[in-house]
Amino acid sequence: MLDLETFRHSTSHIMADAVKQLFPASKLAIGPAIEDGFYYDFDTEKPFFQDDLIKIEQKMAEIIKENLPFERTEYSHQKAEDVMKDEPYKIELIRELPDDKVTFYKHGDFIDMCRGPHIERTGLVKHYKLLSATGAYWRGSEKNKMLQRIYGTAFFTKEELDAFLAHREEVKKRDHRILGEDLDLFSIHQEEAGPGLIYWHPKGATIRQLIEDFWKSEHRKSGYQFIYSPHIAKINLWKTSGHWDFYKEYMFSPMDIEGQNYILKPMNCPGHILVYKTRVRSYRDLPLRWAELGTVYRYERSGVIQGLLRVRGFTQDDAHIFCRIDQLHKEIMDVIKLAIHIFRSFGFSDFKIRLSTRPAHYVGTIERWDMATDALRQAVESLNIPYETAQGEAVFYGPKADIDIRDCLGRAWQCFTVQVDFNLPERFDLYYSAKDGTRHRPIMLHRALMGSLERFFAILIEHYAGAFPSWLAPTQAIILPVTPEQIEYAKKTYSELLSKGIRAEIDSRDERLSERIKDASLSKCPYILVVGEKEEKEQTIALRQRAKKDITTISLDDFIKLIKQENNPKD
Amino acid sequence: MLDLETFRHSTSHIMADAVKQLFPASKLAIGPAIEDGFYYDFDTEKPFFQDDLIKIEQKMAEIIKENLPFERTEYSHQKAEDVMKDEPYKIELIRELPDDKVTFYKHGDFIDMCRGPHIERTGLVKHYKLLSATGAYWRGSEKNKMLQRIYGTAFFTKEELDAFLAHREEVKKRDHRILGEDLDLFSIHQEEAGPGLIYWHPKGATIRQLIEDFWKSEHRKSGYQFIYSPHIAKINLWKTSGHWDFYKEYMFSPMDIEGQNYILKPMNCPGHILVYKTRVRSYRDLPLRWAELGTVYRYERSGVIQGLLRVRGFTQDDAHIFCRIDQLHKEIMDVIKLAIHIFRSFGFSDFKIRLSTRPAHYVGTIERWDMATDALRQAVESLNIPYETAQGEAVFYGPKADIDIRDCLGRAWQCFTVQVDFNLPERFDLYYSAKDGTRHRPIMLHRALMGSLERFFAILIEHYAGAFPSWLAPTQAIILPVTPEQIEYAKKTYSELLSKGIRAEIDSRDERLSERIKDASLSKCPYILVVGEKEEKEQTIALRQRAKKDITTISLDDFIKLIKQENNPKD
C-alpha cells in the first residue's frame, strides 16, 4: 500500500532532478513531504519564476516517462562526502549524522542523501503540480543564507489533484491580505510604521465597530461589566504577575520613565486585578465579570508576522471572571454558551473543542482541578459539541478549553479559550470576605471569545470572501441614479436610508450606469439600488441583490423593512 | 486705593510673623500673593497640621489687634545679609540681587526682605483665612529641599470672604478625585502601575461608553468615518512628521524592536496620514473626515500629574479633515457647530473662543492664512459666541481656535481646539488629483472636541458633582424590595427595565430599608424604586427622584416612558 507521504517525497526527488538538469549550478538543500504536498530548497543565483516552474514541470514529465527505478544504497561517511562533494548543504548535514552509514536514493543520474522510503519507479507519479516559489532561509534562520524554495503537490488521482487545486484557488481568492487591500479595509505600513501593526481604514473600522457593538451588547446581556486599562505599566507589575519570568520573550523592551522601567502590556489581566483590589469584595459581589477590548502588544519575529493573522499589536476581546468555587461550574457553562452563540451569529456552525487537563506540575489542589475540569467537560457535553481531551496538557495554573471554528472552506481556526486560573489570585493575594467575615481566595477565569479582533477579522474576511452579510457590510446599499436627472431623487432616497440608520452611498459619477454597477458589484455591497425616471415617478427603486441575477422593483419602505430584518446577526 | 494683591501680601507677612513667634526654629523662604490669596514657604522640622493653622490664625489676630505699622527700610547688601543672618533662603536670594540696595519691610519685631508695597498697618486686615498646608520644593525643583507651604486668603469684606469659602467648599465637594473613589468610577495605581495612568472601573467605563457612543453617533451624522491606528510606530515616522524635533520632551523613550526604535504615539495624525496615502485621492473624495478615539501617551513630570486632569495616557476624541481650499470654510464652520452641539448636550452653555492668528514665522501663503483665519472668524461670529483674538499667537503651521467651556461653578476649562495645518500635508507630500488630473495639496484640519476623554470626564464629574443626568448615569434605577417577600416582584421589575435597555440594580441586602435608601442616595443614582406589598398588589412602584423629597406612585410603564424621554442628551 503506497502512502501519500512517500509518494510526495519521491515527487520532490523527481523535481530536484529536473531542477539540477535545467539549472546545473543550483545546490541541493532539503526536500521533505509536508501536509499538502512537498517542497525542495535550492541555492541558486536567482529566484524561480512562473516560467521556470513550467519548464521544471515539463522536465519532470520526461523523468516520469522514463519510469526510472528508485534505488537505495548505503555509503560510509567518507564515501557519502565524496558522492556529495559538490553539495555543501548536504556535506553539512552528513557531518551531523550520528550513524556510520548514510542512506542514499538514486533514480537515473540523480542521487540524493535520504532516509527513504521511496516509491518503486518514477512512472508511478502521474498527478502532480508545482505550486509556487518563495525565499526560505537555510534551516529557517535569518542568520543563514536565503535559499529558493519550490512548493509542489502530488495526488494518487486526477480528481483529488483537481479538488485540491480548486480549493487552493478558492483560498487564494479569499486571502484577507488581498481582499483587505481591494476592499479598502486595512493597511500595514511595514516600512514607515513597522510590521505587524494594523491600520483599520474607514470601511474596516465600520465592520470593527459593528463587531464591537454586538459583542458589547451580548456581554451586557450576559451580566458583564467593562473596564478600560492603560497600555503601559511599571515592570514590577509584570514581575508580580509572573509574566516577566514566563513570558519575557514575547514582551517588548522596557521604556525608561524617570528612572523606572515601563512595559507595553502583553496581557490585560494584571490591570483588572488592580481594579479588583481597590475595594474589599464581599461574597455577595461575586461573580464579577469584567470585559475589556484591550489592545495588547506582543513581540513576534518579523519573519513570522503575517497579515492580520500574526501581528505585533492586537485587540483581545478579553474578560476576567472572579468567582467563588461554588460559582465556577455555572460561569464556565455560561462562557462556553456565550462563545458558541457569538460564533453562530457570524455564520460558523462547525466546532471542535479541546480540553486540557492537569499536568505533572501544577498549583492549587487536586480537588479544585477536578472540579474545574468536570465543569469544563460537563459544559462541553451539555452543548453536544465534539471534543477531545488533551491529558496533562494544561498549563500549571489551571485546566482550559479551546474551541476551533471551521470556516466555509473547512479550515479550522482556534479562537476561543477559557482558562481557569488558581495562580494569579495567589500571586496578587486576592480575596473576598465570606458571610462569616473570613477571607477566601476567588478563582479567576480568563477568556477571549474571538481571541483577537484582528485575527477574527481575517477569518471573517476569508469566510465571507469579503461579501459581508448585510448587518456587517460597511456599505449596505449603493444608490445609482440612471442619469443626472435622478440625482435629487437619489439624494432623497439616501437621506431616508441614513435617517433609518442604514449605511448607504450614492455613486453619481459621470460614468455609464453599467460601469457604476460593475464597480458597486466589485465592492461586494449587498444591495444596489438603481433609480431611473420610472422609479422616480413611481417612487420605487430597482433592487439588485448581491449574487442574484434578477432585479426587483420595490418601494423604499419595503426595502427598509427587508434590510432592517437583516440588521441583527442570527444565531 | 488699596489693591487686593498688596493687601494679601501684607497678610502673608503677618502670617509669617505668627509662624516665627510660634515656631521660632522655622526658616523663611518666600511668601507672595497669588490669584486666590497668598502663601508662604517655611523650612520647618515637621509639616503644619490643621491644629497648627488654627494657632497661627489666632496669633495673627493678636498681631492685627496691635495695629502695627509696616515700615520700609533700605539696607546695603552687607547689612541685609547681617539682618537676615539666620535665614539661609533669604541670604541665597540677597546674593542674587543685582541692586545695591535691598528693601525690607518691618512690622513689630518681624522684618522681611521685600520689594513691597504694603498696607499701612496690620489692623487693616480683618477678613482672612488660612486654607491649607502642603509640601513644596524650594524654588519648585525636586532637586531642592521640600519646604512647608501654608496657603491663606484675605478679602476686604466679610461677604467676599464668605462667598470665596463657600465656593471653595463646593469645589472641594466636587473634586473628581474624591468623587471618583466614592462613586467607584476610576483609579490610579501610582505605585504598582505608574502615575498618570487611568483605570476605568465598571461604573466609570459605562459612562465612558455612553459618551463614546453618543460621540460616534453625532460624528456619523456629521459625515465622519472612523479609523483605528496602533499605539506604537517607528521613530522615523515621528521624524518625518517633525514631532521628534518639536515635541521630543513630551515623548516617551524609544523601545528597541529588532534593532529599530519604536515610540508610543503622542499624536494620531501621522497614522491617519499613512491611511490617506494608501490610495490616490481624487478631488471628488474630499473632504475626508476621519475620527479616532485614539489613546496617546505623553510624558509629564510626575510632579505635575493630577487626577484625570493631567495624565500620561489619555484618549483624544481626535479627527483629521483632509479638504480642498474651497471646502475649508464650510468644514471649519461645521467643526465648531458640532463642538458647541456636543458641549450643550452635556449641559454646558457658556463658551469663550480664542482665535490665534498668523505669527511672525509661518509656513504657507498669506492668502491661505487669511482665508483660514477669516473662515474661523466667520464661523465664530455666526454662532454669536464671544471671542477674543490672540494676534500672532498661532503656531507656525496654521491658525487655530480654542473654546473654553464654563462649568456650573463658573470655572473655565479649555477643551476644544480646531487647528488648520498647512505643514503636515507638505512634510508627507500629500496630494489629491484635480478634475484635470493635476496634483494639489489638501489642507488638514486637526480637531478634538472634548480634548481628552479623561480630562472631560473630570470636568463632567465636577460639573455634575457626580450626580450624572439619567442618560449618563451608570445606574439609572435602584430597586429596593421593602421585605424579602417582594424580592420576586423586584426581580420582575428589574428584568423588565433591563429588557428596555435601562441600567438597573436591585438592592435586596438584609439591611433596613432606610439604610438601603441612604446607600442608594449616596450612590447619586437618579431614581430609587421602592416596592412593598402595596406596590406589588397594585403593580406599581414608589418612585423617589434624586434631589426631590416627595415620593410618587406610578406604574412601571409610566416610569419607563419617563426615563426613556431622558435617555438622550438634550442640546
Side-chain angles (χ1 to χ4, degrees), chain A residues 51-67:
Chain A
D51 283 0
D52 300 322
L53 298 192
I54 293 168
K55 278 184 215 142
I56 297 165
E57 274 182 354
Q58 286 162 350
K59 181 60 74 183
M60 287 170 75
E62 292 171 20
I63 298 164
I64 289 164
K65 206 171 169 195
E66 291 178 56
N67 200 19

Side-chain angles (χ1 to χ4, degrees), chain A residues 181-194:
Chain A
E181 188 173 337
D182 287 353
L183 302 176
D184 199 8
L185 301 176
F186 68 90
S187 59
I188 297 164
H189 302 268
Q190 187 132 347
E191 279 311 307
E192 300 93 329

Side-chain angles (χ1 to χ4, degrees), chain A residues 181 190-191 193 198 200-202 205 209 212 220 226 228 230-231 234 253 256 258 278-279 297 299 302, chain B residues 181 190-191 193 198 200-202 205 209 212 220 226 228 230-231 234 253 256 258 278-279 297 299 302:
Chain A
E181 188 173 337
Q190 187 132 347
E191 279 311 307
I198 311 303
W200 297 68
H201 292 198
Q209 283 187 4
E212 289 186 353
R220 229 174 262 125
F226 301 91
Y228 292 85
H231 301 93
K234 283 185 189 172
S253 70
D256 176 81
E258 291 180 357
T278 57
R279 278 175 153 61
Y297 289 85
Y299 172 69
S302 55
Chain B
E181 188 173 337
Q190 187 133 349
E191 278 311 307
I198 310 304
W200 296 69
H201 292 199
Q209 283 187 4
E212 289 185 352
R220 230 174 261 125
F226 301 91
Y228 293 85
H231 300 93
K234 283 185 190 171
S253 69
D256 175 81
E258 292 179 356
T278 57
R279 277 176 155 61
Y297 290 85
Y299 172 69
S302 56

Side-chain angles (χ1 to χ4, degrees), chain B residues 4 12 19 27 78 96 169 259 271 296 313 331 389 462 488 495 519 528:
Chain B
L4 194 58
S12 98
V19 169
K27 302 295 172 199
Q78 187 51 52
E96 288 170 9
E169 211 42 53
V296 295
E331 292 307 313
T389 305
E462 303 206 352
E488 275 317 303
S495 303
D519 285 350
I528 302 173

Side-chain angles (χ1 to χ4, degrees), chain A residues 14 26 37 43 67 71 94 108 125 127 131 137 148 179 202 214 244 283 291 337 367 397 454 505 540:
Chain A
I14 296 170
S26 56
D43 187 354
N67 200 19
E71 290 162 328
I94 290 168
V125 175
H127 312 291
L131 301 169
Y137 293 106
Q148 301 303 326
L179 286 172
F214 170 65
W244 187 247
Y283 68 99
K337 270 187 207 160
E367 188 197 354
Y397 49 88
E454 282 71 10
E505 281 177 21
T540 57

Side-chain angles (χ1 to χ4, degrees), chain B residues 501-516:
Chain B
I502 293 159
R503 300 181 293 281
E505 282 176 20
I506 300 181
D507 180 0
S508 56
R509 281 176 304 157
D510 189 14
E511 304 272 2
R512 290 173 54 186
L513 180 64
S514 59
E515 201 58 36
R516 286 179 287 141

Side-chain angles (χ1 to χ4, degrees), chain A residues 257-258, chain B residues 137 139-143 190 195-196 249-250 252 298-306 310-312:
Chain A
I257 307 177
E258 291 180 357
Chain B
Y137 292 106
R139 301 193 148 183
S141 165
E142 287 144 63
K143 288 175 195 146
Q190 187 133 349
E249 60 177 316
Y250 293 105
F252 283 175
R298 297 182 187 171
Y299 172 69
E300 298 270 7
R301 280 185 302 118
S302 56
V304 302
I305 286 172
Q306 193 213 343
R310 207 141 164 203
V311 294
R312 282 185 176 161

